[in-house]
Amino acid sequence: MSLLALSDVSVSYGPLTAVRNVTLEVGQGEIVFLAGPNGAGKSTLLRAVAGVLAPSQGKITLAGTPTAGLRSEALVRLGFTLVPEGREIFGSLSVAENLAIGAYLRRDRDGIDEDMDFVLTELPALKPRLRDPAGLLSGGQQQMLAIGRALMTRASLIAIDEPSLGLAPKLIDQVYDILLALREKRDLTLLIAEQSFLRAVEVDARLLMLRSGHVVGSGKARDLAAERSLEGSFFGFEGAAA
Ligand code: ATP
């Protein structure tokens, strides 16, 4: 059974249909990328999976449960969390407080402490900054904090909207190294939106390519990249950073 299944999902903002007829299955432990240029519909699709937007058509199932009508809290309880575009860190709260927010639905004190230790071991850059306002962190550290906060929910499926946004190439590499290591250690499933499909090719992931809300390709990223190499400029992915 797929951990996440989207069947013929469309999402609209009033008269504008931003995502059309997306069908996608994500299995436990998989890493799947959504790639496409500005306005392709990546964030819209992730917001629909996160229960922030209701699909205008189609069905989304998380761990076998249809998500229609479920709010974000209920989806967190089903093991899903979204790291939104721009990270949405609370800048005036401390790093420790931001991490604690990830665990706000949990009551298992021992588990929370264990996860806090895990986060600080895996994301050591956060440790000396725990008491600092999160707004003082660098962009890379804020991305680590957003990932740490997601881990504190104990999610098994984490969706991340443009983790490379605004980061230098070296930091993007670091973020991906951490994500791949976490995936191994926690058996995480990752759904990642990026403008470029290059990272999906690099990590040999599965890829759904979107453009103006339409699916324009899906399959193994390496196969798609080979097929599309002559059409790169048409698809607009050439030279994109991540
Ligand atoms: P980006 O890489 O810029 O984040 P994206 O692939 O995530 O792009 P979306 O943000 O999902 O694309 O946008 C898809 C379409 O929906 C665009 O035409 C955008 O203008 C429109 N859109 C996004 N958010 C809203 C909104 N809140 N209200 C109305 N239209 C919106």
Side-chain angles (χ1 to χ4, degrees):
M1 185 187 65
S2 302
L3 186 56
L4 174 69
L6 281 72
S7 169
D8 200 25
V9 168
S10 299
V11 191
S12 303
Y13 298 102
L16 172 81
T17 302
V19 170
R20 287 177 192 274
N21 310 108
V22 172
T23 293
L24 174 70
E25 299 216 347
V26 181
Q28 172 71 43
E30 245 195 312
I31 176 165
V32 175
F33 279 74
L34 304 174
N38 278 337
K42 308 179 296 293
S43 301
T44 301
L45 193 57
L46 291 184
R47 283 190 219 121
V49 172
V52 180
L53 294 172
S56 48
Q57 177 190 305
K59 185 174 169 191
I60 301 175
T61 308
L62 183 64
T65 304
T67 64
L70 295 184
R71 295 163 60 97
S72 300
E73 285 84 2
L75 298 181
V76 170
R77 290 187 205 283
L78 284 175
F80 171 83
T81 195
L82 169 68
V83 178
E85 187 172 351
R87 292 142 205 161
E88 295 183 10
I89 294 300
F90 297 99
S92 59
L93 299 185
S94 70
V95 168
E97 286 167 333
N98 271 275
L99 289 172
I101 285 169
Y104 87 103
L105 288 175
R106 298 173 60 182
R107 296 289 169 268
D108 58 326
R109 181 41 57 201
D110 291 350
I112 294 171
D113 290 347
E114 239 173 61
D115 285 345
M116 186 65 95
D117 286 345
F118 177 78
V119 165
L120 297 178
T121 305
E122 298 302 316
L123 306 168
L126 298 180
K127 204 166 185 171
R129 309 299 302 271
L130 275 176
R131 306 271 150 248
D132 293 344
L136 295 183
L137 299 184
S138 68
Q141 289 166 340
Q142 289 196 8
Q143 185 63 64
M144 306 293 178
L145 176 54
I147 292 168
R149 186 180 56 191
L151 289 169
M152 291 303 296
T153 69
R154 263 276 161 180
S156 53
L157 169 59
I158 301 182
I160 312 180
D161 199 350
E162 296 200 43
S164 64
L165 196 70
L167 301 185
K170 226 170 138 179
L171 280 173
I172 299 173
D173 287 344
Q174 266 183 33
V175 167
Y176 272 97
D177 286 347
I178 285 171
L179 285 174
L180 293 178
L182 290 171
R183 179 181 158 230
E184 288 287 315
K185 290 180 185 170
R186 276 275 169 101
D187 194 23
L188 282 181
T189 307
L190 297 173
L191 179 61
I192 302 178
E194 286 284 11
Q195 297 212 354
S196 160
F197 70 15
L198 296 179
R199 189 65 59 170
V201 173
E202 202 173 298
V203 304
D204 197 15
R206 214 148 53 76
L207 170 67
L208 188 81
M209 295 200 302
L210 289 169
R211 192 170 174 84
S212 304
H214 295 269
V215 177
V216 293
S218 70
K220 291 286 285 180
R222 288 183 184 173
D223 297 342
L224 289 169
E227 281 169 28
R228 305 282 181 199
S229 58
L230 293 175
E231 303 172 65
S233 54
F234 173 74
F235 283 95
F237 297 140
E238 278 183 341

